[in-house]
Amino acid sequence: METTPFCGGQDRSPAYDYRVYDRVWQRVAPGMDPFSQDPGAGMEAPETAPAPVPQTAAPVPVQEGGGGNLPGAEPDPCCMGTEARESLEVLESFLQEELAESRCCQALACRAGNREAARLLRQTAVEKRAAARELCAAYYLITGKRYTPAVSVERLCWEDLPKALRACYHQEACNGYNYQRASEEALDICLQKLFARLSEQSYRRAEALMALLGRIVC
């Protein structure tokens, strides 16, 4: 038999080398056939611990009615509740006035030839729209319904700017007085604060209009 030189000149037969490989293979992987096309086919998969089952929290029962324990969800809350309904008609009247006066001031601002007067009238219109939004929010808090104001178109007829500013002054002064009186008569503490704050804003605008008139007519 022909021999093959291997490792330092010693002659080893091919069969000897295969036996060495077999013994090594048996120690390393006794269940695997080294001559298989898929050496891993004869091996058993190692046992693995079963995957832990995720724990789910028990469902929390939901109370009917929703939000029964939330602040402000009481049938008769401490603010904007039953006592505020006593002033609801007054609130609606203020809301209509603020919307109408806002449109009026915006129209006057577009016609005024005096820059200072136009700027003051535009600012007044912005503040009145903001006041109307606050009154609208108060209406919703009291009733739970959206307020839909009546749409009206006013005809503006003043001879000149000073007379228009004079009318605006009297309107703001009257608003300040009426808001203050409504604040004193309201039973709801939150409405008292709202009316009092709007009264201060109206009186401040009346003072600004008076100062402007003094610069125009004097």
Side-chain angles (χ1 to χ4, degrees):
M1 178 183 295
E2 182 179 1
T3 60
T4 304
F6 180 78
C7 190
Q10 297 180 353
D11 294 339
R12 303 276 182 93
S13 66
Y16 175 83
D17 295 333
Y18 285 119
R19 286 193 299 269
V20 173
Y21 299 153
D22 290 344
R23 287 195 298 270
V24 174
W25 199 279
Q26 288 298 321
R27 288 197 301 268
V28 176
M32 180 183 294
D33 183 3
F35 301 104
S36 172
Q37 293 182 355
D38 184 7
M43 295 187 64
E44 296 181 359
E47 295 184 0
T48 57
V53 179
Q55 299 294 328
T56 58
V60 179
V62 179
Q63 298 181 356
E64 294 184 2
N69 297 326
L70 295 178
E74 298 86 357
D76 189 12
C78 59
C79 262
M80 300 298 183
T82 302
E83 292 183 341
R85 287 183 175 272
E86 300 295 327
S87 304
L88 192 58
E89 186 175 350
V90 175
L91 188 150
E92 291 183 58
S93 177
F94 284 142
L95 179 52
Q96 289 284 3
E97 287 183 6
E98 294 290 3
L99 289 173
E101 292 166 16
S102 173
R103 293 191 292 267
C104 176
C105 290
Q106 187 64 43
L108 284 174
C110 296
R111 298 182 183 183
N114 184 290
R115 289 186 178 180
E116 186 179 4
R119 182 169 58 251
L120 179 59
L121 289 168
R122 280 194 297 268
Q123 181 61 32
T124 299
V126 170
E127 292 181 1
K128 285 184 168 295
R129 284 195 295 271
R133 284 193 292 268
E134 288 193 80
L135 292 168
C136 188
Y139 180 90
Y140 181 82
L141 290 171
I142 297 170
T143 65
K145 300 177 181 179
R146 295 176 182 269
Y147 183 78
T148 304
V151 179
S152 61
V153 179
E154 298 84 5
R155 281 183 169 273
L156 305 177
C157 184
W158 286 288
E159 295 180 7
D160 52 27
L161 179 61
K163 290 186 177 180
L165 295 177
R166 179 174 179 267
C168 291
Y169 166 83
H170 284 298
Q171 186 65 59
E172 290 297 332
C174 288
N175 286 349
Y177 172 76
N178 290 330
Y179 274 128
Q180 184 60 41
R181 186 176 61 177
S183 174
E184 295 171 356
E185 296 177 355
L187 301 177
D188 185 273
I189 183 64
C190 293
L191 274 184
Q192 292 175 13
K193 293 181 178 180
L194 175 60
F195 289 157
R197 181 159 46 81
L198 294 179
S199 174
E200 294 177 359
Q201 292 180 6
S202 296
Y203 277 129
R204 175 179 52 79
R205 288 193 294 266
E207 293 172 358
L209 286 165
M210 178 184 290
L212 177 61
L213 272 172
R215 292 189 290 271
I216 292 177
V217 301
C218 299

